[in-house]
Amino acid sequence: MCAAAIDRGHLLTEQANPNSEALDQLSSLELVDLFNQEDAKTLAAIAQEREPLARAIDLAAAALAQGGRLFYIGAGTSGRLGVLDASECPPTFCTDPELVQGIIAGGPPALLRSSEALEDRAEDGAAAMAERSVGDRDLVVGITAGGTTPYVQGALIEAAHRGAKTVFLACVPIDQVPPPGGSVDVDLRLLVGPEILAGSTRLKSGTVTKMALNILSTGAMVKLGKVYGNRMVDVSVTNSKLRDRAVRMVRDLANLNRAEAEDLLDRSGNRVKTALLMHWAGVDRPQAEQFLTQGGGQLRQAVTLAQSATSPA
């Protein structure tokens, strides 16, 4: 049985967009131009919330640095975007799959088949936090374009009760939907305005959510030393494309030819950071791994440690 209907017509995400009133009469080219015009608003929305987004990055990095986890939780499109971002962290940054997790109302089947009715159960969101033993070292990011999804609200309230840090990501202003439980650690409002197709939040709201999650997870991984310069030096070498990327990073950063880079990468166990440290500091693989551990996984710090340890007294 569906939950009792609530009039959400006042929400920014539910309103009709005056710029698309003639949507069903537009040519294909006019449709593309209109989408392009409206999607430009996603960049402005991110810029407007730059400070809350930066605080979310710091919270995520702090949680992961102390052995905690980053959870995304949502329903429908919001849930799918969270799962997508979480699933891309292990291959990009060689993280444990448990470190960043996406939770969607309805579980894995909801990724392929709509199960939006399940978003009305706040108790299921709370249960998802209990099932994963969310605690005071974790960060939970609740994603709901319209802000009212009970599943997400229930999860954030339960997460806060368990001592976790919380982020509320919504595309409606705070005066329309206050944060769950009255407060969260970061309240992130990405205001892109009414959708071209009224209420279809997989459009601008989905786009701006994907942008924000890209920034959040990548920013946190940069803080954790998963990046050197602008290279993904913790890449997981699991296929030919990623092997090629790893070889090119070693070749470019170590100033080697391709054959030399491939040999060095092989000797490092396919670990780019290990390979670079072996080359730069003139150490073997076990020593390089030891310095990386001592440096908290930060390649620059590990280089300093290795050079200090191997330089003449």
Side-chain angles (χ1 to χ4, degrees):
M1 179 179 295
C2 292
I6 300 173
D7 190 337
R8 294 179 170 84
H10 67 289
L11 297 179
L12 186 62
T13 51
E14 294 294 325
Q15 293 168 13
N17 189 330
N19 296 328
S20 60
E21 287 180 343
L23 186 65
D24 61 341
Q25 302 173 51
L26 300 181
S27 70
S28 296
L29 185 56
E30 288 170 332
L31 282 168
V32 172
D33 289 343
L34 179 59
F35 269 96
N36 190 34
Q37 171 189 319
E38 289 292 316
D39 283 343
K41 296 176 182 178
T42 61
L43 298 175
I46 292 289
Q48 184 66 33
E49 291 294 273
R50 53 190 289 273
E51 292 184 359
L53 191 49
R55 291 197 298 272
I57 289 173
D58 289 339
L59 285 180
L64 298 176
Q66 64 181 356
R69 299 160 294 174
L70 168 59
F71 291 97
Y72 298 127
I73 187 162
T77 296
S78 295
R80 294 180 191 102
L81 289 170
V83 171
L84 173 61
D85 195 78
S87 69
E88 290 175 340
C89 287
T92 306
F93 301 111
C94 206
T95 57
D96 188 302
E98 298 295 309
L99 202 65
V100 183
Q101 300 182 37
I103 306 169
I104 182 171
L111 294 171
L112 300 176
R113 186 180 296 273
S114 174
S115 59
E116 269 73 350
L118 296 175
E119 72 180 45
D120 291 333
R121 295 173 56 87
E123 62 271 28
D124 286 357
M129 300 292 94
E131 289 167 7
R132 291 161 179 79
S133 300
V134 168
D136 59 7
R137 294 188 299 175
D138 299 322
L139 173 66
V140 178
V141 180
I143 311 167
T144 164
T148 61
T149 305
Y151 181 80
V152 174
Q153 295 223 357
L156 287 176
I157 291 171
E158 177 65 19
H161 177 72
R162 291 170 164 269
K165 299 295 185 182
T166 55
V167 175
F168 186 49
L169 191 163
C171 299
V172 292
I174 193 170
D175 63 329
Q176 291 185 355
V177 181
S183 68
V184 289
D185 292 289
V186 175
D187 199 340
L188 186 57
R189 305 295 178 131
L190 303 173
L191 306 183
V192 293
E195 300 288 0
I196 287 177
L197 183 62
S200 183
T201 52
R202 71 185 184 90
L203 301 179
K204 285 186 299 183
S205 297
T207 299
V208 78
T209 295
K210 179 66 168 69
M211 292 168 64
L213 298 185
N214 282 347
I215 295 168
L216 173 55
S217 59
T218 304
M221 295 302 168
V222 169
K223 297 281 187 180
L224 293 174
K226 299 289 186 179
V227 173
Y228 184 86
N230 63 354
R231 307 296 186 103
M232 55 171 75
V233 290
D234 250 345
V235 64
S236 180
V237 181
T238 55
N239 61 29
S240 60
K241 178 189 73 174
L242 296 175
R243 166 75 180 186
D244 173 64
R245 183 177 297 160
V247 169
R248 286 186 287 107
M249 278 191 280
V250 173
R251 180 197 66 192
D252 295 347
L253 293 173
N255 195 27
L256 302 172
N257 63 40
R258 187 172 179 95
E260 292 169 333
E262 288 180 334
D263 175 67
L264 180 57
L265 189 62
D266 287 338
R267 289 187 286 112
S268 74
N270 278 326
R271 298 280 187 170
V272 173
K273 287 198 296 190
T274 302
L276 292 171
L277 189 54
M278 289 168 62
H279 180 76
W280 288 338
V283 297
D284 60 20
R285 177 179 171 183
Q287 289 175 305
E289 291 174 344
Q290 179 182 356
F291 288 125
L292 282 166
T293 298
Q294 292 174 354
Q298 299 275 354
L299 181 54
R300 292 184 190 277
Q301 179 66 20
V303 169
T304 299
L305 291 170
Q307 290 175 340
S308 296
T310 57
S311 60

